[in-house]
Amino acid sequence: MKRSRDRAASELFAALYPRLAGWCRRLVDDDETAHEIASEAFTRLWARWTKVEEPRGFLYVTAANLVRDHWRKMERERRAVRRVTHEAAVRPHEEQSDPSVRLLVQSLPERLRVPILLHYYADMPIREVSALTGRKEGTVKADLHAARELLRVHLRRSLDHTR
């Protein structure tokens, strides 16, 4: 049974991945990001393989959601750059120190980083994060709380150094 399921998954990947990645490429205008999105869509499909009735539709809907998230993230980054550029122009002599939340998240231990990325960056509900990580929902909630507290401490420390 497992072998036939693995073969079906492998055939599906071979048949759909190139077209899905190409579709994503046209939407995000970047090869690497397009492949990351297509790969993530397949990863999410594999996590629900036995529950998904229409894999092709699932892949495209998932990829579309990931593309939308990518666009939102890019827009937030553009706004942040405009804001920082404007602030630097208004206060050019003040020392600028912008602690990057992304770098702080990357510095978290994996146990805390993964739930943060899945819940806040991939917009997954706690239930889904729990299923994907194999942790109980209460553990995921506790990890998210611990990660937020660590980030809060790091951000506060970074902001205190700029004053």
Side-chain angles (χ1 to χ4, degrees), residues 26-162:
R26 286 188 301 279
L27 295 172
V28 299
D29 199 32
D30 177 64
D31 283 336
E32 186 176 340
T33 303
H35 284 285
E36 286 175 12
I37 289 171
S39 297
E40 178 62 22
F42 271 95
T43 299
R44 291 182 186 190
L45 173 63
W46 302 151
R48 296 163 192 78
W49 183 244
T50 57
K51 298 174 186 143
V52 174
E53 291 184 28
E54 177 49 53
R56 184 176 182 274
F58 178 90
L59 287 167
Y60 276 86
V61 167
T62 301
N65 289 335
L66 292 168
V67 165
R68 183 201 63 219
D69 293 343
H70 170 75
W71 287 342
R72 286 179 178 165
K73 179 179 148 217
M74 297 305 292
E75 182 54 33
R76 283 191 304 269
E77 288 176 0
R78 279 191 288 273
R79 279 195 307 262
V81 167
R82 282 193 302 266
R83 188 172 49 249
V84 168
T85 304
H86 176 73
E87 288 173 4
V90 171
R91 297 178 282 140
H93 300 295
E94 223 175 275
E95 184 179 321
Q96 295 292 315
S97 176
D98 179 29
S100 171
V101 174
R102 182 184 297 170
L103 290 175
L104 290 176
V105 169
Q106 288 174 349
S107 72
L108 289 171
E110 184 176 353
R111 172 182 72 79
L112 301 177
R113 183 178 62 244
V114 170
I116 286 284
L117 292 174
L118 292 175
H119 185 65
Y120 291 107
Y121 287 79
D123 292 327
M124 288 186 186
I126 289 173
R127 178 183 67 259
E128 202 168 339
V129 174
S130 171
L132 287 174
T133 60
R135 299 181 194 158
K136 294 180 179 177
E137 286 185 31
T139 303
V140 171
K141 289 177 184 178
D143 288 345
L144 288 169
H145 175 75
R148 287 190 306 268
E149 287 303 310
L150 272 175
L151 293 171
R152 188 180 345 269
V153 167
H154 286 299
L155 285 169
R156 189 171 293 134
R157 191 176 307 138
S158 295
L159 291 172
D160 287 345
H161 290 308
T162 63

